[in-house]
Amino acid sequence: MTSIAVLGNGRVGGNLAAALTRAGHEVTVVDREPGAAAAAARTAEVVINATPGAGSLERLAALREELRGTILIDVSNATVDGPDGLPGDLIYPGSSLAEQLQDALPETHVVKTLNTMLFPVMTAPATLTQPPTAFLSGDDPQAKQTVRELLTDLGWHNEWITDLGGIRTARATEAAILFVPHVIRSSGFTPFAISIAR
């Protein structure tokens, strides 16, 4: 059992929290109540950033002391919304939210994952017609191993998980968000994910 704090109680955070609780972990969901994020981060072994990506850096940088030595799983994408409310341009072109978080939180182990799919797939990957891919980006091998084990608890088969390397590789997976609005306009909100076919 892992002590997990989920920052963000929207569809993404709620979905992850429910699935991880069912898997036997001790999960706390944090809303915007003052002090709640700091209190949860201080005691959790793993913190999941499921806050809107545009405000994630400012919110998490304020928790630098509380997140010291913690694994921070970043599932958000930092984009500017287009006119129809779907993701538009990247906020950190040539970089990534994950890299910005790692720079701001040097004593935290940031791991990027689950950001290349619509949120229902995060906790039910086997419901797609073909295996999706969950990517891992992060500088700490042990942190990535812990995240891999949590992904397994969410239904991800080990062979569906691809370790891309260091945190800098997150800029590639975050750029995949640029596919999303076009796919949604073409096919609707049917769950989908980026998959590497071999």
Side-chain angles (χ1 to χ4, degrees):
M1 183 184 71
T2 304
S3 173
I4 302 171
V6 179
L7 305 185
N9 60 353
R11 292 179 299 177
V12 174
N15 187 40
L16 288 168
L20 289 166
T21 299
R22 287 194 300 270
H25 298 287
E26 181 184 330
V27 181
T28 302
V29 180
V30 180
D31 56 21
R32 293 190 173 273
E33 182 180 338
R42 194 176 293 116
T43 57
E45 300 166 79
V46 173
V47 174
I48 298 176
N49 175 38
T51 65
S56 289
L57 181 58
E58 180 180 6
R59 184 175 186 189
L60 288 162
L63 302 175
R64 180 170 175 164
E65 290 305 313
E66 290 84 357
L67 290 170
R68 185 190 303 271
T70 300
I71 296 171
L72 175 63
I73 302 176
D74 179 33
V75 303
S76 295
N77 289 302
T79 60
V80 178
D81 285 346
D84 55 3
L86 294 175
D89 291 334
L90 299 172
I91 291 178
Y92 305 109
S95 182
S96 64
L97 172 59
E99 289 173 87
Q100 298 295 316
L101 289 170
Q102 188 62 84
D103 286 345
L105 304 164
E107 295 177 272
T108 300
H109 308 302
V110 179
V111 179
K112 189 81 181 192
T113 193
L114 295 180
N115 63 308
T116 55
M117 61 202 69
L118 291 191
F119 80 91
V121 182
M122 295 178 175
T123 59
T127 59
L128 297 185
T129 57
Q130 62 189 43
T133 303
F135 300 99
L136 295 175
S137 298
D139 294 335
D140 186 270
Q142 186 55 53
K144 285 192 287 187
Q145 179 58 35
T146 297
V147 175
R148 181 183 288 271
E149 291 166 4
L150 290 175
L151 290 178
T152 300
D153 288 344
L154 293 174
W156 289 86
H157 297 187
N158 193 54
E159 61 269 23
W160 298 352
I161 303 169
T162 298
D163 186 343
L164 296 179
I167 199 67
R168 193 173 187 272
T169 64
R171 64 182 62 180
T173 61
E174 289 191 26
I177 191 66
L178 299 178
F179 277 104
V180 169
H182 307 300
V183 174
I184 289 174
R185 292 184 192 112
S186 172
S187 307
F189 282 90
T190 303
F192 69 89
I194 302 295
S195 179
I196 300 299
R198 293 185 174 88

